[in-house]
């Protein structure tokens, strides 16, 4: 869990909402499964934008290729089905 919120929202005069960024967190290595679409893909984009290193996996080879071309090293993306325990163990070991 993050120690500080990413966005701190305050009420300003006349009920206007102003958002300001909280202080930057220390860059981390983030591991995400299901990075090829939906929430997983959105998380990749946000964590990369936040300066973190993302290590992720997903089942779609085409989407993994796109992620590799969009987010170069130190980020790392692999084709992997997390339903296969032996494959997950190999992936996690690297």
């Amino acid at each position: 869990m993050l120690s500080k919120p990413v966005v701190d929202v305050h009420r300003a005069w006349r009920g206007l909402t102003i958002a300001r960024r909280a202080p930057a967190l220390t860059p981390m290595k983030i591991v995400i499964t299901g990075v090829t679409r939906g929430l997983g893909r959105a998380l990749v984009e946000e964590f990369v934008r936040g300066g973190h290193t993302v290590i992720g996996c997903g089942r779609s080879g085409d989407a993994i290729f796109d992620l590799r071309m969009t987010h170069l090293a130190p980020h790392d993306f692999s084709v992997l089905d997390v339903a296969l325990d032996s494959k997950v163990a190999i992936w996690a070991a690297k």
Side-chain angles (χ1 to χ4, degrees):
M1 184 166 197
L2 300 175
S3 59
K4 294 184 179 183
V6 174
V7 175
D8 187 12
V9 178
H10 295 278
R11 285 271 177 209
W13 188 64
R14 292 188 183 177
L16 299 174
T17 302
I18 300 171
R20 74 185 154 117
R21 291 258 174 216
L25 300 172
T26 303
M28 297 181 285
K29 288 185 180 179
I30 309 292
V31 178
I32 306 171
T33 60
V35 298
T36 57
R37 57 194 174 113
L39 181 59
R41 183 67 178 249
L43 287 170
V44 168
E45 301 305 329
E46 283 301 310
F47 282 122
V48 168
R49 189 180 352 253
H52 303 288
T53 299
V54 178
I55 302 162
C57 66
R59 292 183 294 176
S60 171
D62 291 339
I64 292 293
F65 179 79
D66 290 343
L67 283 166
R68 286 178 179 170
M69 295 297 106
T70 305
H71 305 295
L72 305 176
H75 309 289
D76 182 47
F77 302 98
S78 302
V79 177
L80 174 69
D81 185 347
V82 296
L84 305 171
D85 292 340
S86 60
K87 302 286 184 179
V88 173
I90 294 168
W91 178 70
K94 67 177 202 176

